[in-house]
């Protein structure tokens, strides 16, 4: 039984038939108060006509004492709980035996869509794109681990006025050679040059761009083929980044996919009496909700971002029937999502819509933009990450006197695992809501609260287990015949680690509920620190049996949890560093 179940049954025994609401048992804020605390007797006291401390005492008297070393009623009516060794050892054994490190399968049978990364086509990805990609992918992995069926959908920006500018530029500004060997950097240059010409006084170029756009929208075969080529080249380039980052999508339905559905959306808005004319445009008024006005058809007849996202919901509901759709974008889009979620509500959609906004990434205090000239390409960031971690891997290899020399390919692979781990963790360890000012050293931190610090902790525990003659997980460490799966937690430092390990499934659940991978990153960092104090405090290989095996099992469990947790953040865990 979990601790919450044990305490809940004590409440049931103490107050039979009473509506208890939720009973929450949380880790104690300070170990001197015990291991856990529960404050729910306070709430209940009034209802049952008892003084809060008396209500808490009644629960204390009903608790199964075999599970606790000490139970105290404290302050105005808190319950402070110190768990018993036997309870702790048996919980560790249960966690150790549970599949997926005990992550509950709350999401079984539920489907969700996660819309993330979603870059705009014909542009190179820059450091600003790392956030949606890495945060979205961690949320994706976390929900999958909870048993949800996830559709990861890359909502590419692959439609809109920029394609008129691009097509015109492609035809008239590129060399034959550039046209034959089209790449994303060439497309980007083509866009910049053509967009600059579209700003010229006489407006001729601008009109010609518009004409190309209209032809494209009307399905002109040549323009469609060009557009398709631009998109294919862009996706191939994005995929090159995703492969490095270990990010996979189930589908790439860009904005263009929803284009044919837009007139239908507008019809439905009109039929439902939600849209009205305003200065030639069609709008949905959301003033009552304090969300202003959302345009759904511009005065020139064109549709916009809101219309496209409405069509997108319609299609996702029809195709997947998800219980939830999660959108991961920067926080400048908050109003857009509030408006369009509100319209979805009015249209009667019951699917839960969630926007996960993240703070914008800036560089040297300025928004990242081509115009500012402060754009660092994602490719360059990743290359630098590998360069820095390779230097460290090589220095370490040199320091290790014995053993065969690692092959160049292995060194590079390890440098990538560490370098990409560093980049991801640097982002994921921040609450998504905070803005980040990009800094090379912080983005590539290899020490302190960093990805490599955790990867190194994992490699170290693995090598300890190997030295002990088994890796724990594969049964190298034999369970003890004392009936508690070999765990024998003793002493405060070991106990802190053990209690923390038990919190892993809860940390995964909390990260999902808050849509914040940072909750899990914090948990893992704290766990690694507790492990490190345990390791320094408690002899392991030099201990006598059964303590030696029991401690090795704790180490193995720590290793498994670290591997699983980092995996949920998309961070690899090499066995040797
Ligand atoms: N392409 C957009 C951007 O670059 C993000 C799209 C997010 N998804 C959505 N369904 N609106 O900001």
């Amino acid at each position: 039984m979990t601790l919450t179940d044990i305490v809940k049954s004590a409440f049931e025994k103490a107050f039979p038939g009473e509506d208890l609401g939720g009973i929450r048992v949380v880790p104690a804020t300070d170990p001197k108060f015990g291991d856990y605390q529960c404050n729910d007797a306070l709430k209940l006291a009034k209802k049952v006509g008892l003084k809060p401390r008396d209500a808490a005492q009644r629960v204390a008297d009903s608790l199964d004492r075999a599970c606790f070393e000490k139970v105290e009623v404290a302050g105005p009516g808190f319950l402070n709980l110190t768990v018993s060794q036997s309870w702790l050892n048996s919980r560790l054994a249960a966690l150790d035996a549970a599949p997926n490190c005990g992550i509950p399968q709350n999401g079984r049978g539920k489907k969700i869509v996660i819309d993330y990364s979603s870059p705009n086509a014909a542009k190179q990805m820059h450091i600003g794109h790392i956030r949606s990609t890495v945060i979205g992918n961690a949320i994706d992995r976390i929900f999958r681990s909870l048993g949800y069926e996830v559709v990861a959908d890359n909502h590419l920006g692959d439609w809109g006025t920029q394609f008129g500018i691009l097509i015109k530029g492609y035809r008239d500004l590129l060399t034959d050679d550039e046209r034959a060997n089209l790449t994303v950097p060439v497309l980007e240059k083509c866009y910049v040059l053509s967009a600059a010409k579209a700003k010229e006084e006489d407006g001729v170029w601008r009109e010609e761009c518009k004409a190309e756009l209209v032809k494209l929208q009307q399905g002109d075969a040549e323009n469609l083929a060009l557009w398709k080529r631009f998109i294919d080249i862009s996706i191939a380039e994005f995929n090159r980044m995703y492969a490095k980052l270990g990010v996979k999508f189930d589908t790439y339905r860009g904005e263009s996919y929803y284009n044919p559905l837009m007139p239908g959306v507008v019809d439905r808005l009109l039929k439902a009496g939600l849209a009205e004319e305003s200065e030639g445009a069609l709008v949905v008024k959301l003033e009552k909700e304090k969300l202003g006005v959302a345009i759904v058809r511009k005065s020139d007849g064109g549709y916009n971002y809101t219309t496209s996202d409405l069509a997108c919901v319609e299609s996702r509901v029809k195709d997947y029937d998800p219980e939830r759709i999660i959108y991961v974008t920067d926080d400048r889009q908050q109003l857009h999502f509030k408006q369009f979620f509100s319209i979805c509500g009015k249209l009667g959609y019951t699917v839960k819509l969630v926007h996960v906004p993240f703070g914008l990434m800036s560089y040297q205090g300025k928004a990242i933009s081509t115009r500012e000239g402060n754009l660092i390409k994602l490719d360059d960031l990743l290359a630098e990450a590998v360069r820095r971690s390779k230097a460290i891997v090589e220095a370490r290899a040199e320091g290790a006197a014995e053993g065969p020399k690692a092959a160049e390919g292995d060194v590079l692979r390890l440098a990538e695992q560490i370098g990409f781990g560093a980049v991801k963790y640097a982002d994921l360890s921040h609450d998504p809501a905070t803005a980040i000012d990009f800094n090379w050293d912080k983005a590539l931190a290899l020490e302190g609260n960093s990805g490599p610090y955790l990867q190194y902790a994992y490699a170290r525990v693995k090598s300890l287990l190997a030295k002990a003659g088994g890796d724990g997980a594969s049964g190298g460490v034999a369970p003890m015949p004392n009936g508690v799966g070999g765990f024998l937690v003793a002493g405060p430092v070991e106990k802190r680690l053990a209690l923390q390990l038990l919190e892993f499934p809860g940390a995964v659940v909390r990260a999902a509920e808050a849509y914040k991978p940072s909750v899990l990153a914090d948990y893992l960092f704290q766990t690694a620190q507790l492990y490190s104090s345990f390791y320094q405090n408690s002899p392991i290989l030099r201990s006598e049996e059964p303590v030696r095996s029991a401690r090795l099992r704790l180490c193995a469990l720590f290793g498994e949890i670290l591997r699983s947790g980092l995996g949920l953040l998309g961070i690899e865990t090499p066995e040797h560093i």
Side-chain angles (χ1 to χ4, degrees), residues 152-211:
D153 190 356
N154 194 336
H155 190 86
L156 298 167
D158 64 356
W159 198 248
T161 47
Q162 71 267 37
F163 288 96
I165 297 171
L166 273 168
I167 292 172
K168 174 72 185 154
Y170 173 89
R171 292 226 163 88
D172 295 346
L173 299 174
L174 295 186
T175 63
D176 287 343
D177 193 43
E178 283 171 328
R179 276 194 289 265
N181 304 297
L182 204 55
T183 60
V184 174
V186 171
L187 280 172
E188 206 165 44
K189 181 186 104 178
C190 169
Y191 179 80
V192 171
L193 293 176
S194 181
K197 286 177 78 70
K199 287 207 181 88
E200 283 168 6
E201 278 294 319
D202 61 16
V204 175
W205 191 272
R206 186 165 55 244
E207 283 313 310
E208 284 171 358
C209 289
K210 217 185 233 168

Side-chain angles (χ1 to χ4, degrees), residues 79-107:
L79 272 174
N80 287 345
L81 306 167
T82 305
V83 297
S84 67
Q85 305 266 330
S86 63
W87 180 82
L88 188 52
N89 290 332
S90 71
R91 290 307 297 168
L92 286 170
L95 178 61
D96 195 31
N100 312 314
C101 292
I103 300 171
Q105 298 302 290
N106 299 343

